[in-house]
Amino acid sequence: MSAASNLQHAVRRDKFLEVPQIIWGLNNQKIALARACLTARFLNRTLLMPSLSASLFYKEVELLKPMAFDKIYQFDKFNCLCDGFVRLGRYSDLLNHSMPFEIQKGSGRKWTKERDLDQLKQCREDSVDNSEVIRIGGKNPFLWHDHWPVKDYAKIFQCLVVVDEIENEVAKVISKIREVGSKVRYKIDASQNEESADSSLGQHVPYVAVHMRIEKDWMIHCKKLEQKLRIEQICSSKEEIMERVSQITSIQQPVVVYLAVADTLLEDDSILSGWNDGLLPLEKKRLGVWGIYKKYPYLIQSAIDYEVCSRADVFVGNSFSTFSSLVVLSRTQKLIRMGFTSSCSAEVGYSSYAYNILGESGGAKRWMTDMSAPDLVGISYGTNNISCYSNWNTSL
């Protein structure tokens, strides 16, 4: 019996699960958080609110600065939206403060998915389950074996609503993008027809968001991944990205193209040159919003960019990037909630594309998440969600 089919429905509020600090990039942390939540669900326990990591260090773990979950996402909103599915608790909810029952996650090739699931099942036996707290030690939850279908992850991601402070910053950035776009459109319309320019005022101003992965550490990583997986559709040069974005037929030009790029590229003016005349590329500094970002640590900066990309009229990313993949998953959920049951139909809004995969007319390939996938592994490796799907599982 699979883990997904063996879940209990009630979420106990007097039994808890504790996990290690969650680390790495924003979306790796979101996956780790969801995986910890689903583990707690399997054990029919409340997950004690874990610490996220404000900074981005991959090796110097001792330098990681912890950040509470509720500094980024609304705690009560999460429990409201996920009521009956999973639940977060605070350490103040503990009653007897007895010593937790500790288990250690195995590692290495011998620690198979089956052994991992067996360990979880043993934790549901009375000898362990009687403990108020089960503490899982060892590696970051992102590295745990995945036993859960994509639709379960999607349910949890849907419950993650940023706090008001971050939401206000997101609104400022998007407003600035649309303001620039409105000025460009008005200027062009005015040069052609004064009446047309006046009528364009107040209309919805679309924008395109491109998650541009061309920084050195990414290029090293993706080259190694191409060798490991024996494929050549992971890395994309700046020139390839610009060309494939320009060939997306659904993009109505002129339009602002917001470039979600790493801080190391903000001083590289070349990322703004070479674009087609109808595409106006802007990054944080050129847009004039770097002041909003720089007052926050890495994790919040990334959360702002995630929301800006998720809400774009058109999104273009790399299918092997976790950031891009979770943006597309959220956009797929929006389409499902809007009642669309096929991604093969005509343009319906919230369209997404993968620039590392060649699509129609030489442009980036249309991209939707397969919500019926049995686990999230394909999202991590860009293999289960680059297609035109007509069989979405809409029971989110």
Side-chain angles (χ1 to χ4, degrees):
M1 182 177 291
S2 70
S5 63
N6 203 20
L7 293 173
Q8 302 178 45
H9 296 291
V11 182
R12 293 180 295 180
R13 302 189 180 194
D14 59 345
K15 300 291 184 181
F16 302 90
L17 179 70
E18 183 179 5
V19 301
Q21 180 178 344
I22 292 173
I23 61 175
W24 296 345
L26 170 72
N27 288 283
N28 286 345
Q29 291 192 47
K30 288 170 68 174
I31 290 173
L33 172 69
R35 194 160 290 162
C37 284
L38 292 171
T39 301
R41 172 173 160 80
F42 181 77
L43 299 175
N44 191 16
R45 287 174 172 264
T46 293
L47 177 67
L48 287 171
M49 186 173 67
S51 291
L52 305 178
S53 299
S55 51
L56 184 62
F57 288 92
Y58 288 93
K59 295 181 180 179
E60 300 88 347
V61 178
E62 69 277 2
L63 297 179
L64 286 169
K65 183 179 179 182
M67 175 175 283
F69 170 90
D70 57 3
K71 293 296 183 182
I72 301 182
Y73 299 110
Q74 297 183 37
F75 180 90
D76 292 334
K77 189 76 169 179
F78 180 92
N79 280 338
C80 178
L81 293 174
C82 271
D83 185 37
F85 189 69
V86 297
R87 180 174 179 79
L88 288 179
R90 300 181 185 276
Y91 282 85
S92 58
D93 296 334
L94 299 178
L95 298 177
N96 58 34
H97 298 280
S98 58
M99 290 296 293
F101 185 92
E102 299 202 20
I103 64 172
Q104 195 76 9
K105 279 285 184 181
S107 59
R109 293 183 179 180
K110 292 184 178 181
W111 189 257
T112 63
K113 187 173 182 177
E114 291 72 25
R115 288 186 65 183
D116 189 77
L117 185 56
D118 285 341
Q119 183 188 56
L120 292 179
K121 290 178 179 178
Q122 291 170 14
C123 290
R124 299 201 304 193
E125 297 176 357
D126 289 344
S127 58
V128 179
D129 190 55
N130 288 334
S131 301
E132 183 183 25
V133 178
I134 294 177
R135 176 186 292 160
I136 298 182
K139 53 193 177 184
N140 173 24
F142 180 79
L143 297 175
W144 293 357
H145 281 294
D146 187 5
H147 305 292
W148 329 111
V150 167
K151 65 182 182 66
D152 283 357
Y153 283 95
K155 173 64 177 175
I156 292 173
F157 295 147
Q158 200 170 309
C159 300
L160 295 172
V161 179
V162 294
V163 297
D164 290 343
E165 180 182 1
I166 297 177
E167 176 60 33
N168 292 336
E169 304 292 28
V170 172
K172 291 176 188 177
V173 175
I174 293 178
S175 176
K176 187 66 175 178
I177 293 172
R178 296 199 191 280
E179 177 187 332
V180 174
S182 179
K183 290 179 180 179
V184 171
R185 176 179 289 184
Y186 180 82
K187 184 177 180 180
I188 292 177
D189 288 347
S191 67
Q192 298 173 348
N193 186 311
E194 188 172 333
E195 291 185 6
S196 175
D198 292 337
S199 66
S200 68
L201 293 174
Q203 292 183 355
H204 172 74
V205 180
Y207 71 95
V208 177
V210 177
H211 181 219
M212 207 166 185
R213 295 305 309 266
I214 56 173
E215 60 273 25
K216 289 181 179 178
D217 64 334
W218 167 259
M219 298 305 287
I220 293 172
H221 167 72
C222 73
K223 288 295 184 184
K224 290 181 179 178
L225 198 55
E226 284 185 337
Q227 293 175 359
K228 177 182 178 181
L229 300 179
R230 299 181 181 179
I231 59 177
E232 296 181 352
Q233 293 183 315
I234 303 178
C235 304
S236 291
S237 65
K238 179 191 72 171
E239 291 73 22
E240 181 176 83
I241 295 173
M242 292 190 297
E243 173 62 22
R244 290 186 175 174
V245 171
S246 70
Q247 296 301 318
I248 297 175
T249 57
S250 65
I251 295 179
Q252 296 184 353
Q253 304 180 21
V255 67
V256 171
V257 178
Y258 175 72
L259 303 179
V261 297
D263 291 351
T264 54
L265 293 176
L266 292 179
E267 304 299 332
D268 183 2
D269 291 337
S270 69
I271 65 172
L272 299 175
S273 60
W275 294 81
N276 281 13
D277 290 340
L279 302 175
L280 179 61
L282 296 171
E283 37 72 37
K284 300 175 186 71
K285 284 193 173 180
R286 183 65 65 90
L287 185 61
V289 296
W290 178 232
I292 292 175
Y293 284 84
K294 69 179 182 180
K295 61 185 179 182
Y296 294 110
Y298 153 78
L299 196 64
I300 293 180
Q301 291 183 20
S302 189
I304 295 173
D305 256 0
Y306 175 88
E307 296 296 331
V308 172
C309 290
S310 180
R311 302 177 196 186
D313 297 85
V314 176
F315 173 74
V316 193
N318 187 299
S319 67
F320 281 78
S321 161
T322 307
F323 182 101
S324 292
S325 295
L326 291 199
V327 167
V328 173
L329 190 156
S330 73
R331 294 167 68 84
T332 300
Q333 289 178 276
K334 289 178 184 177
L335 287 175
I336 292 174
R337 291 196 296 270
M338 291 165 62
F340 295 103
T341 57
S342 173
S343 66
C344 305
S345 57
E347 209 60 41
V348 293
Y350 289 115
S351 55
S352 303
Y353 299 84
Y355 55 65
N356 57 305
I357 311 290
L358 183 63
E360 297 178 359
S361 304
K365 186 171 179 63
R366 185 73 176 270
W367 181 6
M368 312 296 290
T369 301
D370 180 6
M371 304 303 293
S372 64
D375 55 44
L376 208 61
V377 173
I379 282 186
S380 300
Y381 287 98
T383 55
N384 75 348
N385 53 350
I386 305 300
S387 187
C388 177
Y389 291 105
S390 57
N391 63 336
W392 292 347
N393 185 331
T394 57
S395 56
L396 297 181

